[in-house]
Amino acid sequence: MRIGLGSDQIGLECKERLKARFAGQGHSAEDVCPTDLCGSDYQSITDQLSSALYTSCVERGVLICSRAIGASVMANKHPGVRAALCHDVHSARQGVQDDGVNLLVMRAGVVAFDLACELADAFVQASYLPCEQEFGMPPRRLARVVEYIRNHLDQPLAVSALCRLAEMSQSHFSKLFKLSTGLAPHQFVLQERINRSKELLRCGNTKIVEIALGVGFENQAHFTTVFGNFVGMTPRQFQRSSDHETGGMFRPALEVEVVQSC
């Protein structure tokens, strides 16, 4: 299994030991947060690990940080990410089996390494067992819609237009799209707009009002409100915090073909 790991400075030692443990078990353990970002705020770390899950670069994720509750809340705003804060083995196992949890969050400094190993083993060994198998959109249609959205973020993206692109009725399209991505179409569009704006804000050389208009918002005020709801800070605060980071958001191209069900 491809497992992504992330941590803040407090959880660094536990993360490194878990990484070695996973590798010894035959898993592909990847640290998606470079060492020079381990001292960064939990939001940047959560963002990168969630993006790795969202793009299917990793199948499961383990995050150890001091702001575990905030990290869980933030991760669950990403499409395709189902994060849970677990401090007991039963929750770690059942979270996967019953609800498809793919990101295990542990609070650094509270969970001892031995318990972290037990939680991680239960999390990785468990499989999602939904009561009813539900399928999302056909991969090629989903890829067509997602590509269109990402290429037209500066334009109106009505659900009626997207369902025509997928050659489906609006109700059927909305249901299958949510099964495939974990988000309703309008929520997915907002998430993509915010993700694109974060990339532009990290560059630091574009005015916020230009970014707002460039990703499809009518004005800067609306953009600031939506950005705050998704990220937990204003665009200006995010831009300033990004000035202290050395790299951009981990966000390779989405392999839509593997995102077939919720």
Side-chain angles (χ1 to χ4, degrees):
M1 180 180 293
R2 289 173 288 123
I3 305 172
L5 296 101
S7 76
D8 58 9
Q9 191 64 42
I10 298 176
L12 178 59
E13 180 181 356
C14 183
K15 179 191 68 175
E16 292 297 326
R17 294 176 68 180
L18 282 177
K19 181 179 178 181
R21 179 182 176 85
F22 286 141
Q25 294 172 341
H27 299 293
S28 174
E30 178 182 354
D31 189 345
V32 301
C33 301
T35 303
D36 57 359
L37 287 183
C38 285
S40 299
D41 62 281
Y42 78 98
Q43 294 168 324
S44 296
I45 297 163
T46 303
D47 194 28
Q48 294 202 37
L49 185 53
S50 298
S51 294
L53 282 165
Y54 170 47
T55 55
S56 300
C57 290
V58 296
E59 299 169 80
R60 300 272 176 92
V62 177
L63 175 60
I64 311 103
C65 68
S66 56
R67 296 287 298 276
I69 295 177
S72 298
V73 172
M74 181 178 179
N76 281 316
K77 294 180 180 180
H78 287 252
V81 178
R82 296 171 293 279
L85 172 62
C86 299
H87 286 169
D88 66 274
V89 173
H90 176 77
S91 296
R93 180 183 300 111
Q94 293 303 121
V96 176
Q97 293 179 349
D98 297 341
D99 302 302
V101 168
N102 56 8
L103 176 57
L104 171 64
V105 183
M106 295 181 278
R107 185 174 179 182
V110 172
V111 176
F113 179 66
D114 288 344
L115 177 56
C117 291
E118 294 180 22
L119 296 173
D121 287 348
F123 170 67
V124 170
Q125 293 168 9
S127 299
Y128 182 35
L129 303 172
C131 295
E132 297 182 3
Q133 184 66 39
E134 295 179 304
F135 298 95
M137 290 179 62
R140 291 186 180 180
R141 294 192 187 187
L142 178 61
R144 186 192 313 160
V145 173
V146 171
E147 182 180 12
Y148 181 85
I149 290 172
R150 290 180 173 168
N151 289 337
H152 298 83
L153 288 176
D154 60 334
Q155 303 173 21
L157 291 167
V159 176
S160 57
L162 298 178
C163 69
R164 287 195 297 271
L165 186 65
E167 300 176 341
M168 296 179 179
S169 68
Q170 186 164 325
S171 60
H172 190 50
F173 167 77
S174 296
K175 178 182 177 180
L176 295 189
F177 188 90
K178 187 170 184 178
L179 284 174
S180 296
T181 65
L183 292 175
H186 72 280
Q187 293 173 323
F188 184 88
V189 169
L190 281 179
Q191 180 71 69
E192 287 298 311
R193 284 177 167 150
I194 295 302
N195 282 344
R196 178 72 59 79
S197 72
K198 287 161 74 175
E199 295 174 356
L200 296 172
L201 287 167
R202 279 195 170 97
C203 295
N205 55 4
T206 306
K207 294 181 179 180
I208 291 179
V209 63
E210 295 177 358
I211 292 175
L213 298 176
V215 298
F217 290 92
E218 293 184 359
N219 52 62
Q220 184 174 338
H222 184 212
F223 168 61
T224 298
T225 299
V226 176
F227 191 94
N229 291 337
F230 273 83
V231 184
M233 64 176 74
T234 67
R236 178 68 66 192
Q237 290 170 331
F238 181 86
Q239 191 174 54
R240 288 172 178 169
S241 68
S242 298
D243 290 340
H244 302 291
E245 299 177 10
T246 57
M249 181 174 63
F250 183 89
R251 185 175 164 74
L254 170 63
E255 295 293 337
V256 175
E257 288 76 11
V258 300
V259 187
Q260 297 184 37
S261 61
C262 182

